[in-house]
């Protein structure tokens, strides 16, 4: 429809110029948009105000000349000039309601576009260290990142979802030693107590729970294993229950094989196998929450030498050096000239002792990304804000200015009945993302985590999100979809099982048929429903442009509200004492089906299901 309105305005301007009512000028933008107030029409053009300087005329006079030469249209009921020069278009009922049929024709592709022209975007998100399970903050990155990728893909971009595995560096040794020590404790308990693995495992878990409860260390006798664990590793350890669980896997597979082997000789086994075990857990959680990646990129791979004896880190450094952005200091350290790009100081890549910095990996990693994709987006936590400039500078130095972007996300406050859920980083106590989705469910978790702008903190109240009533937004939206499905099943005369076998598209077709007179839909709630649905294609483009998938949740709630208002005001199916004309009933069923499709498409973009039955 906006294209139709633009064409009418274009024809009117040309006619007014030919008649001498407007001077010659070239229009570059017709400014066709939806008025915020429906009393100002269905569509509006600001072309008169945009053309005032070119025409040397008052916008209102330009608008009047355009309206005077406006060609007739079967879709437009009237055109008016308002305010300083707005040209407002009021559609007839049939034209306004065409969107219902358009949605049904396009189905799952309603709102899809080729705006991105296939531009290859690398979107990296979550990227948590493989030394522990994903926490709720990581869960927000999963919901935001995956939803954003869905939106970009729907808007015509080619998106590569990527998880960067931080598997290089000293934290991996700390992780391996933690599992190794817990393995030895399990073996010690089984030997000293003469018990089986289950009992030994339970004893270690109980010991850790006692340690967590004993915040002031007043009863060390209740947690000797945890105290020994900390003492032997100097406090440089990972202490969560999951470490005990992974250590148990070693006992189950290897028995006491590693008990008499020097710890330094067996460390590689514990580090590598524990790493693979934790990575498998992370992948499983991501998959369960419908967040699958195209590539799991290992940081270690950046340091692997190829046949020529060089690694990806070496090659990235060679490029920077060739462009004059690297230098060495007298102590042998290697530096990047970050100040050449406005940074307050240069950044070290290799320390004087030969140790590579974390920044060195980032240089090579982002250089690698641009060998594969045209544009790079990273989703980081807000605490990484200070790191943006240096990575941006590197991307500029490598020859990719303006092609690197960081989306920052605020964190999640976890509540239960309005009270903060206590977590202790020092003692390794937290609600994992897996535990949250186990309790709340994938749909409610994803919907809630994506429901606000990424630059806003989310208060996630577990008990509120579990509610199955209209106070819970995700339930409210899903119920609207299920209600439409129920109406369509009833109209088609099929059971839930029959509908499941047929599919809702066929059910809707049976209920509605091939011929629908949409001009019969004249109630204000029907017009509001059509207007809301017609906003969706532009909404998707805005979500892609502004990196704002949260707007989809707002749209879903508004569409659900518009549907409930329509359903309360307009009889869709005949009932006892409330007859409905068959043609009007079919037209209203068509509107219902469009709501069903649009809700399903919108929910799918944020990774939430659209149930047919609730």
């Amino acid at each position: 429809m906006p294209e139709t309105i633009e064409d009418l305005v274009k024809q009117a301007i040309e006619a007014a110029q030919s008649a001498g009512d407007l001077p010659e000028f070239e229009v570059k933008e017709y400014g066709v948009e939806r008025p915020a107030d429906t009393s100002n029409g269905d569509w509006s053009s600001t072309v008169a105000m945009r053309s005032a300087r070119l025409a040397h005329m008052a916008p209102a006079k330009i608008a009047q000349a355009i309206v005077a030469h406006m060609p007739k249209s079967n879709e437009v009921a009237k055109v008016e000039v308002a305010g300083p020069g707005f040209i407002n278009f009021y559609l007839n009922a049939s034209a306004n309601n065409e969107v219902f049929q358009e949605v049904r024709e396009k189905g799952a592709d309603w709102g899809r576009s080729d705006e991105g022209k296939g531009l290859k975007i690398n979107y990296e998100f979550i990227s948590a260290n493989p030394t522990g399970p994903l926490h709720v903050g990581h869960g927000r990155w999963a919901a935001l990142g995956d939803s954003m990728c869905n939106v970009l893909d729907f808007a015509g971009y080619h998106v590569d979802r990527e998880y960067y595995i931080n598997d290089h560096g000293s934290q991996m040794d700390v992780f391996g030693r933690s599992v190794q020590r817990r393995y030895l404790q399990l073996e010690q308990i089984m030997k000293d107590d003469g018990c089986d693995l289950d009992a030994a495992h339970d004893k270690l878990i109980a010991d850790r729970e006692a340690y967590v409860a004993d915040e002031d260390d007043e009863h060390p006798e209740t947690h000797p294993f945890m105290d020994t664990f900390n003492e032997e590793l100097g406090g440089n350890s990972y202490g969560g229950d999951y470490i005990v669980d992974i250590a148990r896997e070693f006992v189950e597979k290897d028995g006491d094989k590693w008990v008499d082997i020097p710890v330094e000789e067996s460390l590689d086994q514990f580090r590598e196998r524990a790493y693979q075990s934790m990575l498998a857990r992370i992948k499983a959680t991501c998959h369960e929450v419908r967040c699958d990646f195209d590539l799991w990129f290992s940081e270690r791979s950046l340091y692997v030498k190829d046949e020529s004896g060089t690694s990806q880190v070496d090659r990235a450094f060679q490029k920077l050096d060739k462009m004059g952005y690297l230098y060495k200091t007298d102590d042998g350290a290697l530096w990047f000239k970050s100040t050449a790009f406005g940074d307050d100081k240069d950044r070290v890549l290799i320390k004087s002792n030969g140790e590579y910095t974390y920044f060195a990996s980032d240089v090579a990693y982002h250089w690698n990304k641009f060998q594969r994709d045209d544009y790079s987006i990273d989703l980081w936590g807000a605490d990484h804000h200070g790191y943006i400039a240096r990575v941006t500078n590197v991307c500029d130095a490598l020859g990719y200015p303006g092609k690197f972007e960081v989306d920052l996300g605020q964190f999640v406050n976890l509540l239960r009945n309005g009270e903060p859920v206590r977590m202790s980083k020092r003692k390794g106590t937290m609600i994992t993302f897996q535990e949250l989705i186990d309790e709340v469910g994938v749909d409610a978790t994803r919907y809630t985590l994506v429901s606000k702008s990424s630059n806003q903190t989310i208060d996630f109240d577990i008990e509120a999100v579990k509610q199955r009533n209209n106070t819970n937004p995700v339930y409210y939206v899903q119920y609207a979809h299920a209600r439409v499905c129920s109406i369509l099943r009833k109209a088609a005369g099929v059971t839930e099982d029959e509908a499941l076998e047929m599919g809702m598209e066929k059910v809707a077709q049976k209920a509605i048929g091939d011929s629908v007179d949409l001009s019969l839909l004249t109630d204000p709630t029907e017009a509001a429903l059509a207007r809301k649905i017609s906003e969706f294609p532009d909404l998707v483009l805005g979500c892609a442009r502004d990196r704002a998938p949260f707007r989809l949740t707002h749209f879903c709630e508004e569409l659900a509200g518009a549907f409930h208002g329509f359903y309360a005001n307009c009889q869709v199916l005949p009932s006892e004492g409330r007859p409905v004309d068959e043609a009007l009933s079919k037209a209203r069923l068509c509107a219902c089906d469009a709501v069903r499709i649009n809700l399903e498409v919108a929910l799918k973009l944020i990774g939430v299901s659209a149930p047919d039955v609730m």
Side-chain angles (χ1 to χ4, degrees), residues 272-562:
E272 296 311 306
R273 286 168 52 186
Y275 157 52
Q276 293 300 331
S277 178
M278 181 51 62
L279 187 60
R281 284 169 163 81
I282 291 173
K283 288 182 177 182
T285 298
C286 288
H287 180 70
E288 184 172 348
V289 81
R290 305 172 190 140
C291 176
D292 292 310
F293 290 86
D294 299 302
L295 178 63
W296 295 77
F297 191 100
S298 166
E299 182 183 0
R300 291 180 185 179
S301 67
L302 298 170
Y303 294 87
V304 175
K305 304 287 186 180
D306 63 10
E307 297 82 359
S308 66
T310 60
S311 67
Q312 294 186 61
V313 173
D314 297 330
R315 291 190 288 276
F317 286 3
Q318 287 169 3
K319 182 167 185 178
L320 287 175
D321 189 42
K322 185 177 180 180
M323 300 176 77
Y325 292 123
L326 297 187
Y327 66 91
K328 280 189 176 183
T329 51
D330 292 340
D331 60 1
L334 183 67
W335 294 78
F336 167 61
K337 293 181 182 178
S338 193
T339 51
F341 297 89
D343 201 350
D344 59 345
K345 61 182 179 180
D346 293 338
R347 304 292 174 175
V348 65
L349 296 170
I350 303 178
K351 300 176 184 179
S352 57
N353 63 2
E355 180 184 343
Y356 286 81
T357 64
Y358 186 84
F359 184 50
S361 295
D362 268 335
V363 170
Y365 177 46
H366 286 85
W367 176 79
N368 178 282
K369 287 184 180 184
F370 285 115
Q371 311 310 302
R372 299 179 276 122
D373 293 295
D374 304 316
Y375 195 85
S376 175
I377 305 176
D378 290 0
L379 176 58
W380 296 348
D383 57 337
H384 285 71
H385 181 272
Y387 205 70
I388 296 175
R390 68 184 72 177
V391 178
T392 301
N393 293 340
V394 161
C395 293
D396 290 353
L398 287 168
Y400 307 102
K403 295 185 177 182
F404 171 68
E405 172 187 334
V406 174
D407 292 343
L408 285 179
Q410 294 293 338
F411 298 100
V412 180
N413 295 323
L414 200 60
L415 312 172
R416 192 181 290 277
N417 289 322
E419 296 296 323
V421 176
R422 293 188 64 192
M423 290 180 280
S424 170
K425 183 176 181 181
R426 181 183 76 84
K427 295 185 176 179
T429 58
M430 65 175 179
I431 301 292
T432 69
F433 187 39
Q434 183 65 56
E435 289 170 334
L436 184 67
I437 60 179
D438 286 345
E439 180 172 356
V440 175
V442 173
D443 285 341
T445 299
R446 280 198 62 140
Y447 190 98
T448 305
L449 290 175
V450 81
S451 63
K452 285 189 177 182
S453 170
S454 60
N455 57 25
Q456 290 181 289
T457 301
I458 283 184
D459 290 334
F460 193 115
D461 193 312
I462 295 173
E463 296 304 322
V465 173
K466 287 163 60 176
Q467 294 299 309
R468 292 181 61 80
N469 56 47
N470 287 343
T471 66
N472 185 355
V474 65
Y475 180 88
Y476 179 72
V477 171
Q478 289 182 317
Y479 179 71
H481 182 272
R483 193 175 197 179
V484 172
C485 292
S486 176
I487 294 168
L488 291 170
R489 286 194 298 269
K490 187 174 181 180
V494 300
T495 65
E496 291 179 3
D497 289 340
E498 289 170 337
L500 182 62
E501 184 176 345
M502 293 171 63
M504 284 309 303
E505 287 73 18
K506 290 183 179 180
V507 171
Q509 183 60 33
K510 183 177 181 181
I512 299 167
D514 297 322
S515 180
V516 180
D517 184 359
L518 296 175
S519 67
L520 298 174
L521 303 179
T522 58
D523 188 89
T525 60
E526 294 166 336
L529 202 57
R531 181 186 176 91
K532 177 53 61 178
I533 289 175
S534 68
E535 294 173 2
F536 186 67
D538 284 341
L539 174 82
V540 173
L541 291 179
C543 290
R545 179 190 63 242
D546 301 331
R547 315 294 190 245
F550 75 95
R551 294 176 188 165
L552 288 164
T553 63
H554 296 181
F555 174 85
C556 287
E557 290 159 36
E558 291 164 2
L559 180 55

Side-chain angles (χ1 to χ4, degrees), residues 580-601:
V580 182
D581 177 78
E582 183 179 357
L584 178 58
S585 178
K586 287 186 179 296
R588 287 175 174 170
L589 284 169
C590 180
C592 289
D593 195 37
V595 171
R596 174 189 69 82
I597 293 168
N598 204 157
L599 283 176
E600 184 172 0
V601 171

